[in-house]
Amino acid sequence: MQSLLRYLSEIFGNAFQQAGMDSSYGDVVISARADLGQFQCNGALAAAKAARQNPRAVAESVLANVSPREIFADLSLAGPGFINITLTDQFVAKRLRAAAADARLGCEATPHPEAIVVDYGGANVAKSMHIGHLRSAIIGESIKRILRFTGHNVLGDVHLGDWGLQMGMLITELRRHQPDLPYFNPEFSGPYPEESPVTIEDLEQLYPAASARAKSDTEAMEQSRQATAELQAGRPGYLALWLHFVGVSIAVLRRDYGSLGVTFDLWLGESDAQPQIPTMVQQLRAAGFAELSEGAEVIQLPPASEDEREIPPLILVKSDGGAMYGTTDLATIQLRVEELYADRILYVVDARQSLHFEQVFRAARRTGIAGHAKLEHLTFGTMNGTDGRPFKTRAGGTMKLHDLVELIQTEAIQKMEEAKIGAEYPDQEREEIVRMVGVGSLKYADLSNHRTSDYVFDPEKFVRFEGKTGAYLLYAAVRMKSILRKAADQGFAPGEILPPTDAERELALLLTRLPDEVEYAADRRAPNYLCEYAYNLAQAFSRFYDRCHILREENVALRGSWLALVKLCLDQLTTTLELLGMEVPERM
RNA sequence: GCGCCCGUAGCUCAGCAGGAUAGAGCAACAGCCUUCUAAGCUGUGGGUCACUGGUUCGAAUCCAGUCGGGCGCGCCA
């Protein structure tokens, strides 16, 4: 089914065309003046300007050409040339019946499906996830779901930080503590132990220690570089050790991402691109893209057109022969294009990496590595504390993701106790509710900000469950479920959706919007639009709920219509929340 | 120095491919539970959209400049 705005825009586009003007002027949008109409078309103003005509006269002639007319309860001209549009209740009801009968709730799948890789998460081996990893995971997960829902073939890749200097640091640091391990003995011929010599706790201690040491001690840094080079050259002991680091880390990452409802199709990492690098570099040299500069090999990236700016070259090979992360990213693009047949690769990464991605993308396009694939850096802003500085705990440290999830769930438990809700629920169900409410609140708080803006991360505030919060949305959905359950118990079934009256018109109109809202969010890769829509739905439902006592309604047809409306509302809200990565409990 | 992003209500944020009277939540104040879950609903007050200029019939939205804030800028990732 064609989306409503598209359908209306087509009608007005045709009307403009018949009046001798471009159909693009026919764009219909939600009205900014609900008192004057449900929708509006402003194209006559722009068309009049282009044609040097009187805008009201243009609007008049367009109005005369509008067809079909019977779906409109009112079409009127206002102000300098606005066309205000109000649909008949019959037509609205017809749209809703069609949406309710459709498995996709009236959302058409894209006619041009692409193979899309979404690169998000970005966790590192040996570092436990902290709140700095939150946004990429939450935003990336939502964008993945949205694009998948719109009909694309989407693969989510965690793209682990499992390679590079940090690995060398870990190796040297561990050697410092346990030099007798067989991994460090060049004479050792294997096999190496299957059991990891370190736990995740060990790694989390080792990493900051190693990092600090390398920063202050040039000799330690040199050793780390050396170890990194040897690892990359394939020294068996180091490789075996590294595999343990990765294995131990992934187990914990799966748990942490899992607790957020974030799942990946691919658990690839920087290391997976390494085998690709030597031949790729050879190809680039052969094709004349590599250039010697200050001992390193670089790819120059001069502007190719006026809208490109000067940017520094991409370092392809360091002066010590090693690869930089830009090289790894290039090789990863090559892999995704050649082996995953990616048409498009999206990177959900902090805005501070903008320059890096600009370099990588430009290099990938110039050299042909990207092929026909489109590359997009979907930036997101920094999470600051209430003081406007990057977020820190009271103790001044970074808050671990695990602790944050726990904190917010503790709060959910407290809220339920205060409201005297769920005391009689089985323990397991109550735990599930707490998880869904806690994680949902956290995600909604994050996603309702536009992804590109920096925002203040205030746990005290996110934990509140009143107002425009995830908990409010879940609460609304749960009330819908409750009504439908009680209706079924009493033998009341949803019936045919009738033309809305004043009591439910607001809700009914909102329910015609899902396809346009999803498309809007998908086009902009911006989940916050869906957050807004979900909130509007929940609010419109709550008002309707307050005004109309559904189960007490004695008119069977009306009650059936209302129940069908609740059902459709629940389906749409659930779908929208799913696209945001939120789960709805049966009751709460 | 160069570049990127951002200044909207007391606070946190939407809105920005130009459109009519700039929205929401929180906070403040006033109401609504013998009725489908009050984590709810209703109402009131609160804004020179940082500033200046420009483009336009029309600018929070586009352009230029100024001020203020954040971030980034070749061998870490």
Side-chain angles (χ1 to χ4, degrees), chain A residues 167-431:
Chain A
M167 296 301 123
M169 287 183 185
L170 279 174
I171 291 170
T172 47
E173 189 65 17
L174 182 61
R175 186 171 55 197
R176 201 179 307 277
H177 292 281
Q178 300 183 55
D180 297 332
L181 290 172
Y183 307 97
F184 304 120
N185 180 359
E187 316 291 305
F188 189 79
S189 57
Y192 294 96
E194 280 188 26
E195 187 85 358
S196 170
V198 289
T199 63
I200 187 66
E201 289 78 16
D202 295 335
L203 283 176
E204 285 174 12
Q205 300 248 318
L206 284 173
Y207 186 80
S211 176
R213 196 188 304 279
K215 229 177 242 172
S216 59
D217 180 347
T218 51
E219 195 183 329
M221 179 60 103
E222 201 30 62
Q223 288 172 346
S224 296
R225 287 190 199 286
Q226 178 64 27
T228 307
E230 289 182 56
L231 170 66
Q232 299 190 348
R235 177 167 159 173
Y238 286 4
L239 267 177
L241 189 54
W242 170 77
L243 278 173
H244 283 308
F245 292 167
V246 173
V248 162
S249 299
I250 285 184
V252 178
L253 292 175
R254 277 189 196 277
R255 184 201 70 192
D256 282 353
Y257 280 125
S259 75
L260 286 176
V262 171
T263 58
F264 298 96
D265 306 291
L266 302 170
W267 280 79
L268 298 175
E270 293 167 349
S271 64
D272 291 287
Q274 299 312 310
Q276 193 90 355
I277 289 180
T279 46
M280 180 187 78
V281 169
Q282 278 305 333
Q283 287 163 3
L284 291 173
R285 283 182 187 135
F289 288 110
E291 182 176 303
L292 218 57
S293 169
E294 298 171 38
E297 283 180 81
V298 303
I299 301 179
Q300 294 292 349
L301 304 166
S305 68
E306 283 201 358
D307 43 51
E308 283 191 346
R309 62 189 183 116
E310 291 281 352
I311 55 174
L314 181 104
I315 296 186
L316 188 65
V317 183
K318 292 190 290 182
S319 46
D320 70 0
M324 286 268 290
Y325 74 137
T327 316
T328 301
D329 283 348
L330 268 185
T332 302
I333 291 172
Q334 191 170 53
L335 269 179
R336 287 170 174 168
V337 169
E338 292 180 356
E339 295 185 13
L340 302 176
Y341 307 104
D343 297 312
R344 190 178 295 274
I345 307 173
L346 309 181
Y347 295 83
V348 185
V349 180
D350 197 308
R352 286 175 291 199
Q353 304 265 355
S354 293
L355 179 57
H356 167 70
F357 282 110
E358 202 175 343
Q359 291 175 293
V360 171
F361 292 176
R362 200 180 282 185
R365 290 179 188 125
R366 294 288 158 77
T367 58
I369 285 174
H372 72 284
K374 303 277 193 299
L375 308 170
E376 298 177 35
H377 177 199
L378 306 183
T379 64
F380 58 82
T382 315
M383 281 194 335
N384 292 322
T386 42
D387 57 357
R389 313 288 313 161
F391 181 83
K392 296 276 186 247
T393 58
R394 285 211 188 84
T398 47
M399 182 179 265
K400 283 195 185 179
L401 196 66
H402 191 69
D403 295 337
L404 174 65
V405 171
E406 209 147 87
L407 169 81
I408 212 149
Q409 296 195 348
T410 307
E411 197 66 24
I413 291 169
Q414 202 181 320
K415 295 278 173 183
M416 283 181 77
E417 282 173 359
E418 276 169 18
K420 297 195 170 46
I421 285 172
E424 75 283 11
Y425 297 174
D427 287 352
Q428 197 191 336
E429 183 184 358
R430 209 167 45 240
E431 277 171 33

Side-chain angles (χ1 to χ4, degrees), chain A residues 475-553:
Chain A
Y475 181 68
V478 160
R479 296 216 285 196
M480 295 174 210
K481 289 192 180 189
S482 176
I483 290 177
L484 293 171
R485 215 164 30 228
K486 290 204 158 100
D489 289 347
Q490 296 174 43
F492 300 163
E496 179 171 280
I497 294 175
L498 301 174
T501 65
D502 291 346
E504 72 269 38
R505 190 174 293 108
E506 181 200 11
L507 178 60
L509 275 171
L510 218 40
L511 289 171
T512 63
R513 278 170 42 180
L514 181 73
D516 288 308
E517 299 289 342
V518 172
E519 187 183 315
Y520 198 84
D523 284 352
R524 287 162 183 71
R525 289 87 164 94
N528 65 304
Y529 294 106
L530 288 181
C531 288
E532 190 67 22
Y533 179 61
Y535 182 70
N536 288 336
L537 263 188
Q539 210 173 34
F541 166 76
S542 293
R543 279 198 271 265
F544 169 61
Y545 177 92
D546 202 59
R547 272 195 297 257
C548 306
H549 199 292
I550 298 161
L551 296 182
R552 220 170 44 185
E553 175 57 46

Side-chain angles (χ1 to χ4, degrees), chain A residues 1-11 28-30 38-39 71-72 87 91-92 95-96 106 508-516 519:
Chain A
M1 180 167 70
Q2 197 178 20
S3 90
L4 182 55
L5 289 185
R6 216 189 276 288
Y7 175 67
L8 295 175
S9 296
E10 199 172 285
I11 290 175
V28 171
V29 297
I30 307 290
Q38 297 166 347
F39 302 87
I71 66 170
F72 300 106
L87 301 171
F91 179 72
V92 171
R95 292 284 307 188
L96 294 187
L509 275 171
L510 218 40
L511 289 171
T512 63
R513 278 170 42 180
L514 181 73
D516 288 308
E519 187 183 315

Side-chain angles (χ1 to χ4, degrees), chain A residues 36-69:
Chain A
L36 300 178
Q38 297 166 347
F39 302 87
Q40 58 181 314
C41 174
N42 305 328
L45 293 147
K49 188 200 273 191
R52 296 172 186 279
Q53 287 178 19
N54 179 314
R56 282 190 70 98
V58 170
E60 292 280 6
S61 63
V62 167
L63 272 178
N65 291 325
V66 167
S67 167
R69 303 194 74 87

